[in-house]
């Protein structure tokens, strides 16, 4: 048990102080590349012996970024830009920004002028992605990222190294998928601790993270499984890492038994097919990704996907964690809600924002939701 | 005065004027739609920047939810429609055109501007990814097929070869998909003809809009916002080409005769950035006119001028629409327009609906202001939701710009 707690503490430490991790990488002489959501080709960066470092915003005040963004852009991007302008990313070699939503397109353009000391590398993905034409375009996008990385960092790309990185990332994906299921049996691990494990993955090398996650699972599986009276929920949204919100979930005796959070499990659903050439394989991986608000889906299967997940995990309800001003998610919500209702799955919408100091509304909504589930 | 009542002569629009021809094209557009629907033809709902050459060649009848939403908003029903969507769970944060359109798809009646329900959807995201989300939802709600041509935002100055290739393949695929959906067949010959007419329309449109470079300008820049509807929905039609050619002739004549559709003394010349605030069009226009400010420059003029020689050129033109360009390219285009039209100030509409248009506009407008040495001011508004605009704020910003323009002139 102490060992489990030690591991959980280790995840927590990394999750709450990414800046320490950054300092440590830089002091070891490693080159670090910031990776902006929602999908960044981390494998490429990793394969060039660079450290991919997650840039999903932070709970900080926005001042400087207001000179670039109007108020109606999501706080993930506002705070990411703020960190760049105020020097929090100094020492980082480059930032890769994919343009999967309209606000992300703007982040790249603003970055060039707001943070001129950290080069912006754009990654342009196709939306009509699951066919040869789409895959070719994804590959062209990756080649461009490689080219920029080579120029900026002086490192060299090779297919052989990428094949190794693809494997590292596949192993990590598998560990993270398994983790989500294993945790269902150990309800005493809180929503915050679960989030620590997911969040820390962005600030550690994947090898390290996989090892720790596997260790944790091995230790847990030696312990007796537990049943509890907690209400089981699925979370969905872009990010759900607010400490206050996670605490409220815990206070209301809710256990997260699965998630469709972009910052968490959405990253780990799809593996690279290792039998393909490495770069082709990576492009092919993107072409098969789905059930996400920033990926075109004419059938809008996401609601069914979550309903299915709820059934599989025995969840009592779905908590939609809506990032304020995130239009892709806001468009998906009414369609998903209909699917949840049709499947008889209770759901609640909680709006969050990284500048939020008052969670009273969220608290009341979750309390009411819990009463409803009872 | 005697008992006699002096009657003003009633204004009769000359049916041979470009304005009335353009208005007729717009009204015919809607009546043709209803006729087609009655005849049992399939109707498409189409994104404003979807390559119209495809459906013109196939002889399909389509209409434009963006135009409809603008018309509904201009006629005062923007809020009513937005509230319907919000009642269905849509956040008031998403584009108001989408909220109006999703509401219309549901209630199927808006006396302010009705149009037939669709049998299929044509989406192109070169103006925004919001378009994709909006059309996905329409497709699911109405249970009809959707054809998407994905034209990504281009982070570089010009589209790459890979992008042109990617878009071209989708263009060809879209033709196949549409042949299957509608049963119509493609003709290369007709395609050539459509390309010719489209180029002719675009050239005439650009020529006409370019007359604002004259001092004084022969037109009130707000006229362009109305005529734009034709540039959007009838580019491939010969009537549109002819009407714009006539419009250009009229402006030419007006320049020679020193007349203008701007019914005030043109004291100042302004560049307006962004979509019009349709629900407050009159207020926004009057505020300028009352100060003798004519709007002589807008990126809109360029937005629907597609000039190209062949299929690759066509694809490149669609990759190069204003909202798909990086900051530098978008800035340079505007700087060129502002200089060409001798705009003395830049007024920016920070449009609550449009994240892409407003999301890097602060930086871009700073750069335009510096490059052209003109003052810049912005105001908060929305193209279709009337709740996001404050008349007082608008007036204050316009007043501030006027004072700088005046003092700039005084100092010269
Ligand atoms: S997807 Fe949503 S949360 Fe993510 S960057 Fe875009 S608007 Fe922000
Ligand atoms: S206003 Fe902006 S977000 Fe809305 S449809 Fe037009 S370009 Fe897209």
């Amino acid at each position: 048990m102490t060992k489990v707690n030690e591991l959980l503490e280790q995840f927590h430490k990394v999750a709450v102080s990414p800046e320490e991790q950054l300092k440590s990488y830089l002091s070891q002489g490693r080159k670090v590349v910031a990776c902006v959501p929602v999908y960044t080709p981390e494998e490429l960066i990793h394969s060039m012996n660079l450290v991919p470092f997650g840039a999903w915003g932070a709970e900080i005040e926005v001042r400087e970024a207001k000179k670039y963004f109007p108020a109606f852009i999501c706080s993930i991007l506002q705070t990411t830009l703020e960190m760049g302008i105020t020097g929090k990313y100094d020492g980082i070699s480059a930032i890769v920004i994919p343009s999967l939503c309209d606000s992300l397109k703007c982040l790249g353009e603003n970055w060039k002028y707001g943070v001129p000391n950290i080069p912006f590398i754009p990654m342009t993905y196709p939306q009509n992605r699951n066919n040869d034409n789409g895959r070719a375009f994804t590959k062209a996008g990756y080649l461009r990222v490689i080219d920029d990385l080579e120029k900026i960092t002086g490192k060299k790309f090779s297919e052989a190294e990428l094949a190794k990185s693809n494997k590292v990332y596949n192993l990590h994906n598998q560990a993270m998928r398994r983790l989500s299921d294993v945790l269902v049996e150990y309800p005493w691990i809180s929503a915050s601790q679960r989030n620590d494990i997911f969040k820390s993955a962005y600030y550690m090398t994947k090898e390290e993270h996989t090892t720790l996650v596997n260790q944790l699972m091995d230790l847990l599986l030696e312990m007796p499984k537990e049943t509890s009276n907690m209400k089981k929920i699925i979370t969905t949204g872009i990010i759900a890492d607010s400490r206050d919100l996670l605490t409220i979930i815990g206070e209301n005796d809710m256990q997260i038994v699965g998630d469709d959070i972009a910052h968490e499990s959405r990253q780990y659903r799809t593996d690279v097919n290792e039998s393909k050439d490495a770069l082709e394989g990576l492009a092919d991986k993107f072409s098969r990704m789905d059930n996400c608000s920033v990926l075109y889906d004419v059938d809008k299967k996401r609601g069914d996907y979550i309903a299915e997940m709820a059934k599989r995990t025995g969840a009592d309800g779905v908590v939609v964690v809506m990032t304020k001003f995130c239009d892709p998610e806001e468009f998906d919500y009414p369609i998903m809600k209909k699917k949840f209702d049709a499947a008889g799955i209770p759901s609640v919408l909680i709006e969050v924002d990284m500048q939020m100091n008052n969670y009273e509304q969220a608290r009341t909504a979750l309390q009411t939701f819990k009463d409803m589930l009872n | 005065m005697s008992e006699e009542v002096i009657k003003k002569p009633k204004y009769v629009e000359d049916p041979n004027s470009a304005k009335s021809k353009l208005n007729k094209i717009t009204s015919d557009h809607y009546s043709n739609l209803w006729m087609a629907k009655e005849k049992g033809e399939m109707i498409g709902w189409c994104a404003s920047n979807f390559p119209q050459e495809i459906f013109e060649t196939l002889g399909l009848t389509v209409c434009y939810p963006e135009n409809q939403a603008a018309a509904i908003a201009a006629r005062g029903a923007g809020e009513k429609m937005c509230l319907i969507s919000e009642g269905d769970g849509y956040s008031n944060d998403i584009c108001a055109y989408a909220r109006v359109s999703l509401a219309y798809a549901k209630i199927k009646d808006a006396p302010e501007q009705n149009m037939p329900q669709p049998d299929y959807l044509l989406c192109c995201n070169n103006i925004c990814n919001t378009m994709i989300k909006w059309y996905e939802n329409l497709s699911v709600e109405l249970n009809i097929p959707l054809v998407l041509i994905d034209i990504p935002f281009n982070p570089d100055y010009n589209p790459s070869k890979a992008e042109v290739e990617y878009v071209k393949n989708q263009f060809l695929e879209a033709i196949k998909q549409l042949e299957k959906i509608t049963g119509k067949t493609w003709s290369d010959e007709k395609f050539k003809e459509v390309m010719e007419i489209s180029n002719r329309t675009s050239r005439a449109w650009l020529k006409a809009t370019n007359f604002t470079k004259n001092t004084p300008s022969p037109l009130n820049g707000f006229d362009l916002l109305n005529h734009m509807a034709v540039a959007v929905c009838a580019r491939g039609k010969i009537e549109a080409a002819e009407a714009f050619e006539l419009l250009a002739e009229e402006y030419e004549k007006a320049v020679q005769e020193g007349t203008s559709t701007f019914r005030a003394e043109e004291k100042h010349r302004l560049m307006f950035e962004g979509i019009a605030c349709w629900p407050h069009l009159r207020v926004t226009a009057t505020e300028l006119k009352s100060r003798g400010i004519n709007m002589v420059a807008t990126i809109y003029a360029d937005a629907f001028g597609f000039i190209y020689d062949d299929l690759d050129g066509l694809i490149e033109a669609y990759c190069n629409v204003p909202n798909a360009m990086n900051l530098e390219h978008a800035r340079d285009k505007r700087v060129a327009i502002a200089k060409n039209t001798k705009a003395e100030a830049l007024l920016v509409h920070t449009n609550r609906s449009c994240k892409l248009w407003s999301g890097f506009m602060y930086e871009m407008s700073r750069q335009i202001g510096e490059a052209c040495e003109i003052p810049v001011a912005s105001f908060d508004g929305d193209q279709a939701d009337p709740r996001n605009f404050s008349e007082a704020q608008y007036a204050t910003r316009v007043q501030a710009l006027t004072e700088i323009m005046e003092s700039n002139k005084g100092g010269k």
Side-chain angles (χ1 to χ4, degrees), chain B residues 47-62:
Chain B
S48 63
N49 260 322
F50 186 93
Q52 51 91 29
E53 290 79 358
I54 294 185
F55 53 79
E56 280 295 342
T57 304
L58 286 168
L60 303 176
T61 309
V62 306

Side-chain angles (χ1 to χ4, degrees), chain B residues 183-251:
Chain B
K184 306 259 177 156
T185 40
W186 182 261
S187 140
D188 281 336
E189 217 162 289
K190 180 83 205 283
F191 179 46
K192 245 178 101 190
E193 203 178 291
V194 169
M195 289 204 288
E196 265 162 32
I197 298 173
S198 306
N199 268 288
R200 188 174 150 196
T201 308
S202 293
R203 272 195 303 273
W205 162 251
L206 290 174
K207 185 172 175 199
T209 57
N210 196 28
F211 276 98
T212 56
K213 74 168 194 251
N214 291 82
T215 312
S217 158
L219 63 143
N220 180 342
F222 275 80
D223 295 352
L224 297 180
L225 299 177
N226 289 323
H227 301 333
M228 195 183 73
V230 174
V232 174
C233 61
R235 260 193 330 274
K237 296 201 182 349
I238 192 83
E239 307 87 86
E242 286 169 359
F244 283 134
E245 281 162 2
L246 183 62
L247 188 68
E249 276 169 33
E250 287 179 6
Y251 289 155

Side-chain angles (χ1 to χ4, degrees), chain B residues 135-172:
Chain B
Y135 275 58
E136 271 179 357
N137 286 17
L138 284 176
S139 167
V140 166
E141 295 287 11
L142 302 170
N143 194 21
I144 53 174
L146 161 57
V147 175
L148 167 69
I149 296 188
D150 169 37
I151 304 188
F153 180 82
N154 180 16
D156 300 314
Y157 206 89
N158 287 310
S160 63
K161 269 207 184 104
E163 181 180 345
V164 173
E165 196 56 26
Y166 169 58
V167 175
K168 188 161 71 180
N169 285 329
Q170 293 179 78
F171 183 97
L172 300 172

Side-chain angles (χ1 to χ4, degrees), chain A residues 200-259:
Chain A
S200 55
Y202 290 100
Y203 315 121
M204 284 168 120
T205 62
K206 291 295 177 280
E207 293 90 329
E208 226 182 324
H209 197 256
T210 309
T211 307
L212 294 181
V213 170
N214 282 333
Q215 271 177 21
L216 177 73
M217 288 193 289
D218 290 345
L219 290 167
L220 284 175
L221 289 169
E222 283 167 16
M223 296 166 69
K225 291 180 179 171
E226 279 185 30
T227 51
S228 84
N229 293 327
M230 291 171 92
K231 287 294 158 199
K232 295 180 171 177
I233 56 163
I234 303 279
T235 47
T236 175
I238 295 291
I239 191 166
D241 72 338
S242 147
R243 292 290 133 183
D244 288 321
L245 178 70
L246 293 166
T247 308
I248 297 170
I249 289 179
E251 283 169 2
N252 281 290
D253 275 337
M254 290 178 179
Q255 185 201 359
I256 299 174
V257 293
D259 78 82

Side-chain angles (χ1 to χ4, degrees), chain A residues 102 113 127-128 297 300 330, chain B residues 93 136-137 150 170 328:
Chain A
D102 290 334
Y113 298 95
Q127 289 291 352
N128 268 324
D297 177 15
K300 294 215 83 112
E330 288 165 346
Chain B
D93 174 47
E136 271 179 357
N137 286 17
D150 169 37
Q170 293 179 78
E328 295 75 26

Side-chain angles (χ1 to χ4, degrees), chain A residues 83-141:
Chain A
M83 302 225 303
I85 300 175
T86 54
K88 303 280 186 307
Y89 287 135
D90 281 3
I92 282 190
S93 302
I95 186 164
V96 180
I97 306 177
S99 51
L100 283 162
C101 76
D102 290 334
S103 307
L104 278 162
K105 299 171 187 174
C106 300
L107 175 64
E109 297 311 301
N110 284 329
W111 191 273
K112 289 185 272 191
Y113 298 95
V115 198
N117 57 320
I118 300 177
F120 153 54
I121 302 179
M123 174 60 213
T124 309
Y125 283 111
Q127 289 291 352
N128 268 324
R129 60 197 180 283
N130 198 0
N131 51 50
D132 288 345
N133 188 36
R135 277 183 287 272
F137 188 63
T138 305
K139 193 173 161 189

Side-chain angles (χ1 to χ4, degrees), chain B residues 239-305:
Chain B
E239 307 87 86
E242 286 169 359
F244 283 134
E245 281 162 2
L246 183 62
L247 188 68
E249 276 169 33
E250 287 179 6
Y251 289 155
E252 191 153 20
K253 193 158 159 244
V255 171
Q256 281 157 12
E257 293 171 356
T259 58
S260 172
T261 59
F262 184 67
R263 312 236 173 266
E265 185 200 345
E266 184 184 284
K267 289 194 207 144
H268 308 290
R269 301 164 61 81
L270 178 112
M271 176 159 190
F272 185 90
E273 177 59 55
I275 307 178
C277 270
W278 295 114
H280 303 284
L281 193 62
R282 189 183 297 269
V283 177
T284 46
T286 312
E287 196 66 50
L288 296 177
K289 204 171 95 186
S290 65
R291 292 179 163 88
I293 303 173
N294 192 5
M295 194 253 272
V296 292
T298 153
I299 190 73
Y300 260 143
D302 271 32
F304 294 100

